[in-house]
C-alpha cells in the first residue's frame, strides 16, 4: 500500500492532494493525521474511507463515511485536528514561530476505528510539512519609536501593498497570518497592542496614536506601495481596524473579522477625543455542565441609546470596509454588529463596504486549514470559552474568505 501527499512541503494556506494506492477493492481504511505544536502537545484527526474498484483512494474525489468529518473534504484531516485524548482539551494548534514548518504525519490504518479508539495496523504513512514562509521572505523585528511587532517583506524589490495585521484580546504577538500575507505579496506588519515587551500588560485603555505611528511607519517604508495602507483585524483587532480607518487618513482599507461596531472593554483616546468601551456583564455569562463559558449575551447592548458614545463613527471613513462574520459566532453577536455598521454607513449614503457572512462559521476565521476550535482556552480568563461554529462550515468559510480578503486588499491597495 502506498500513500502519496503532494506537495509534501507546501504553504500552510495551500491545498494538499492525498492519494492511497494498492488497497483491495472496497477495502475499509481509517486515515489519520498527527501533528504536535511547539510545546509538544499532540493533535490528531481521523476519517473513514473505502477504496474504489481499483483499490485506490483520492481525498479530492472520495467521501469520508465517518470519523471526524464526512463527505468529500480534501483538507478535512487538517482542519479537524484536535488535542489528542491524553492532552488538555480546548487548546489551539497555532504556530508560535513562522520560520519553522508545522510537521505532520499522515497514516493509513486497516479497518474503520472511531475517533479516540486504538486504530488498526498501519499499512502506509507519509510526512507532510506546512510552511508559513518562502525563500527570500524577510522578517524584521520592530522597535520603531513606540511601535512593536514584526514586519514581513515578500521576496523581490517591491514596492508591495502594505497591511497591518492584528488579533484579539489574547494579546501578545501573533505572526502566522502576517507571514502568510507576505508569501502572497503583501508587506505585512504584525502589530501587538498589549501584553508584549514594553506595551501595556492588560487592556485598560488605548491611544490611537500608537496605531497611527504604526500606519505612518508602514506607509513611509521604502518597500511599501502608497499612498494608503490596509489593516486586517480579528475580534478586538477588527474593532481597532474600524477606528483606524475612521480616524487615520493613512488607512484606506479595513478587513474586520468578527468585530464589534462599537469600541469595547478599553477606552480609546485620540487627542482630545475618547470613545468609552462597552463593558461585559459577567452576570450574563452562562457556564455549561462541562465548565464551558458562553459570553454571547454578556456585552452591553450597542443599540441602547445610553451606549451611543461608544459607537465608532465609521461613516467618517473615506476608505473601504470588508466585514467578515460567522453566523454562529458565540463569542459575541458579530452578525448583528456587522448589520449595525452597514446600517450606519447606508444611513449616511455610503456603499463603501462588502459583507461576507458565513452560516455555520464561528468566531475566529483564520487562514485556510487552520484547525477548527469550537471551544478554546481564554488566555485572560483562564477558562474555556465557546467560540461557536460547526467544523465543516467553518473550514469552508476560512478557505473562501482568505481568497476574498486578498482580492479586496489588492483591489484597494494596488
Amino acid at each position: 500500500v502506498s500513500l502519496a501527499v503532494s506537495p509534501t512541503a507546501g504553504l500552510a494556506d495551500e491545498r494538499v492532494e492525498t492519494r492511497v494506492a494498492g488497497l483491495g477493492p472496497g477495502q475499509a481504511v481509517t486515515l489519520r493525521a498527527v501533528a504536535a505544536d511547539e510545546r509538544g502537545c499532540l493533535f490528531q484527526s481521523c476519517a473513514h474511507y473505502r477504496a474504489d474498484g481499483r483499490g485506490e483512494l483520492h481525498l479530492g474525489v472520495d467521501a469520508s463515511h465517518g470519523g471526524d468529518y464526512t463527505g468529500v473534504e480534501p483538507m478535512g484531516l487538517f482542519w479537524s485536528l484536535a488535542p489528542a485524548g491524553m492532552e488538555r482539551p480546548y487548546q489551539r494548534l497555532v504556530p508560535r514561530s513562522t520560520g519553522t514548518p508545522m510537521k505532520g504525519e499522515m497514516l493509513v490504518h486497516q479497518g474503520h476505528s472511531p475517533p479516540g479508539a486504538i486504530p488498526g495496523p498501519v499499512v502506509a504513512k507519509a510526512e507532510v510539512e506546512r510552511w508559513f514562509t518562502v525563500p527570500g521572505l524577510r522578517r524584521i523585528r520592530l522597535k520603531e519609536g513606540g511601535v512593536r511587532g514584526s514586519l514581513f517583506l515578500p521576496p523581490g524589490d517591491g514596492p508591495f501593498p502594505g497591511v497591518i495585521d492584528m488579533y484579539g484580546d489574547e494579546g501578545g504577538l501573533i505572526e502566522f497570518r502576517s507571514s502568510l500575507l507576505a508569501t502572497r505579496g503583501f508587506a505585512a506588519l504584525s502589530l501587538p497592542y498589549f501584553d508584549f515587551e514594553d506595551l501595556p500588560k492588560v487592556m485598560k485603555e488605548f491611544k490611537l496614536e500608537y496605531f497611527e505611528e504604526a500606519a505612518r511607519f508602514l506607509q513611509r517604508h521604502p518597500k511599501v506601495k502608497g499612498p494608503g495602507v490596509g489593516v486586517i483585524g480579528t475580534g478586538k483587532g477588527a474593532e481597532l481596524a474600524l477606528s483606524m480607518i475612521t480616524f487615520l487618513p493613512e488607512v484606506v482599507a479595513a478587513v474586520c473579522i468578527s468585530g464589534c461596531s462599537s469600541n469595547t472593554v478599553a477606552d480609546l483616546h485620540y487627542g482630545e477625543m475618547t470613545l468609552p468601551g462597552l463593558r461585559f456583564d459577567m452576570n450574563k455569562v452562562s457556564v455549561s455542565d462541562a465548565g464551558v463559558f458562553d459570553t454571547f449575551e454578556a456585552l452591553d447592548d450597542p443599540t441602547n441609546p445610553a451606549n451611543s458614545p461608544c459607537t465608532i463613527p465609521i461613516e467618517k471613513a473615506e476608505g473601504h470596509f470588508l466585514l467578515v462574520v460567522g453566523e454562529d459566532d458565540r463569542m459575541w453577536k458579530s452578525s448583528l454588529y456587522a448589520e449595525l455598521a452597514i446600517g450606519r454607513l447606508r444611513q449616511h449614503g455610503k456603499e463603501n463596504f462588502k459583507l461576507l457572512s458565513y452560516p455555520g462559521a464561528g468566531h475566529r476565521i483564520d487562514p485556510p486549514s487552520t484547525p477548527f476550535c469550537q471551544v478554546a482556552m481564554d488566555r485572560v480568563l483562564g477558562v474555556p470559552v465557546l467560540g461557536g461554529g460547526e467544523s465543516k462550515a467553518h473550514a469552508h468559510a476560512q478557505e473562501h474568505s482568505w481568497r476574498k480578503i486578498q482580492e479586496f486588499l489588492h483591489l484597494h491597495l494596488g
Side-chain angles (χ1 to χ4, degrees):
V1 179
S2 66
L3 169 62
V5 181
S6 169
T8 49
L11 282 169
D13 60 354
E14 283 178 357
R15 272 196 179 187
V16 170
E17 291 264 320
T18 307
R19 295 172 186 266
V20 185
L23 297 166
Q27 185 179 339
V29 288
T30 297
L31 264 68
R32 281 177 71 232
V34 181
D37 68 9
E38 280 98 332
R39 293 167 305 193
C41 172
L42 199 65
F43 291 76
Q44 58 184 19
S45 60
C46 76
H48 301 161
Y49 288 92
R50 281 190 184 278
D52 64 15
R54 296 192 305 276
E56 294 178 355
L57 258 184
H58 179 206
L59 266 57
V61 179
D62 297 312
S64 161
H65 305 291
D68 290 320
Y69 62 90
T70 57
V72 178
E73 293 294 336
M75 296 300 290
L77 287 167
F78 292 85
W79 53 249
S80 60
L81 282 164
M86 69 282 205
E87 301 288 359
R88 286 205 326 273
Y90 313 135
Q91 297 190 72
R92 281 187 193 284
L93 181 53
V94 178
R96 301 266 180 267
S97 82
T98 56
T100 50
M102 198 171 271
K103 293 181 178 177
E105 192 172 36
M106 311 274 276
L107 305 124
V108 184
H109 297 266
Q110 280 179 21
H112 286 165
S113 46
I118 294 171
V122 175
V123 292
K125 60 182 177 178
E127 304 273 317
V128 62
E129 290 184 358
R130 309 284 282 161
W131 283 87
F132 293 86
T133 184
V134 290
L137 188 146
R138 290 169 61 205
R139 170 183 178 266
I140 301 154
R141 281 299 299 278
L142 287 188
K143 269 200 166 170
E144 284 290 327
V147 178
R148 302 291 173 263
S150 298
L151 177 63
F152 292 87
L153 294 173
D157 294 334
F160 309 104
V163 182
I164 292 171
D165 177 27
M166 299 180 294
Y167 269 92
D169 62 5
E170 62 269 58
L173 178 64
I174 300 174
E175 299 177 310
F176 74 100
R177 183 167 62 190
S178 306
S179 193
L180 279 177
L181 282 168
T183 70
R184 300 296 172 202
F186 296 93
L189 168 54
S190 183
L191 186 69
Y193 49 93
F194 76 104
D195 196 24
F196 181 73
E197 292 183 350
D198 55 358
L199 296 175
K201 281 313 284 175
V202 293
M203 285 204 301
K204 194 167 172 225
E205 54 180 359
F206 293 122
K207 287 186 162 60
L208 198 62
E209 282 82 357
Y210 172 76
F211 303 92
E212 181 175 51
E213 194 182 340
R216 286 182 178 166
F217 163 78
L218 189 62
Q219 184 196 31
R220 291 170 185 161
H221 195 282
K223 291 272 188 188
V224 173
K225 225 186 231 185
V229 297
V231 57
I232 177 171
T234 299
K236 177 67 187 175
E239 174 199 308
L240 286 163
L242 288 179
S243 293
M244 287 169 74
I245 193 172
T246 297
F247 297 109
L248 308 179
E250 295 83 2
V251 179
V252 298
V255 178
C256 304
I257 303 168
S258 311
C260 184
S261 49
S262 292
N263 186 51
T264 66
V265 183
D267 294 357
L268 182 69
H269 307 286
Y270 186 46
E272 299 294 297
M273 180 211 74
T274 296
L275 285 181
L278 287 180
R279 302 296 176 203
F280 277 95
D281 181 350
M282 294 313 278
N283 294 322
K284 291 186 180 165
V285 175
S286 60
V287 185
S288 74
D289 294 344
V292 174
F293 284 58
D294 184 341
T295 59
F296 189 67
E297 296 290 347
L299 188 68
D300 287 349
D301 180 5
T303 64
N304 179 340
N307 293 325
S308 62
C310 305
T311 306
I312 303 163
I314 55 172
E315 68 281 357
K316 294 181 175 171
E318 295 296 322
H320 291 262
F321 299 89
L322 179 63
L323 306 170
V324 182
V325 294
E327 292 175 20
D328 192 31
D329 184 349
R330 293 294 305 177
M331 195 77 77
W332 60 11
K333 303 175 182 179
S334 54
S335 286
L336 167 69
Y337 306 150
E339 277 173 38
L340 293 175
I342 287 168
R344 191 171 178 96
L345 291 170
R346 286 203 162 130
Q347 205 182 328
H348 290 84
K350 297 210 154 187
E351 291 290 331
N352 54 343
F353 63 86
K354 251 187 99 158
L355 172 67
L356 298 176
S357 186
Y358 296 102
H363 180 70
R364 191 163 147 163
I365 299 172
D366 271 327
S369 306
T370 303
F372 171 68
C373 198
Q374 189 183 49
V375 175
M377 281 312 261
D378 185 282
R379 211 191 54 79
V380 183
L381 299 173
V383 296
V385 174
L386 182 61
E390 178 277 310
S391 59
K392 192 190 290 196
H394 192 89
H396 293 178
Q398 292 194 145
E399 194 161 331
H400 184 265
S401 62
W402 186 238
R403 207 170 56 243
K404 291 294 179 191
I405 285 165
Q406 291 175 66
E407 285 171 14
F408 170 83
L409 291 170
H410 276 302
L411 176 66
H412 297 294
L413 303 175

